[in-house]
Amino acid sequence: MSTSIGSGAPLWHGRFSASPAEALFAYTESLSFDRRLWRDDIAASIAHVRGLGHSQILSNEETEVIVAALQQVASEFEEGSFLITPTDEDIHTVIEHR
């Protein structure tokens, strides 16, 4: 089973009435090479969430819920069931949308 992410809308969606030129997308595209960084991005996100929990910005329950969600995303990547939407700018945006 494949998992889709978010609305599939690009980050700029809702801020502008027209989409950027295709040349801009081609210039700023990074998913073709940074998609291999998903493990590092998820590890950094988990560390960040745990830091917010340690600082009591997030409750223990909030921390564990977010960490579990990030671990689920990692499982989806490992299984090959995670679908990346071409409108996402980079691997962090992909994970954030999920």
Side-chain angles (χ1 to χ4, degrees):
M1 175 178 163
S2 295
T3 303
S4 61
I5 56 176
S7 66
L11 289 178
W12 55 264
H13 178 72
R15 296 184 191 135
F16 302 101
S17 59
S19 65
E22 288 299 316
L24 178 65
F25 283 125
Y27 180 72
T28 61
E29 184 279 328
S30 67
L31 271 175
S32 62
F33 56 89
D34 77 356
R35 68 188 312 143
R36 65 182 176 254
L37 300 173
W38 68 264
R39 284 181 185 88
D40 301 302
D41 194 272
I42 291 174
S45 294
I46 289 172
H48 181 73
V49 168
R50 291 204 187 279
L52 292 173
H54 181 75
S55 299
Q56 299 180 337
I57 294 169
L58 295 175
S59 68
N60 288 339
E61 182 180 345
E62 291 168 323
T63 299
E64 293 312 312
V65 166
I66 296 169
V67 167
L70 288 164
Q71 290 169 336
Q72 175 62 40
V73 172
S75 293
E76 292 168 7
F77 270 106
E78 287 286 345
E79 296 165 356
S81 64
F82 195 95
L83 294 178
I84 293 176
T85 304
T87 55
D88 287 321
E89 295 177 8
D90 55 34
I91 196 63
H92 183 74
T93 303
V94 167
I95 293 166
E96 188 174 72
H97 275 166
R98 176 66 176 97

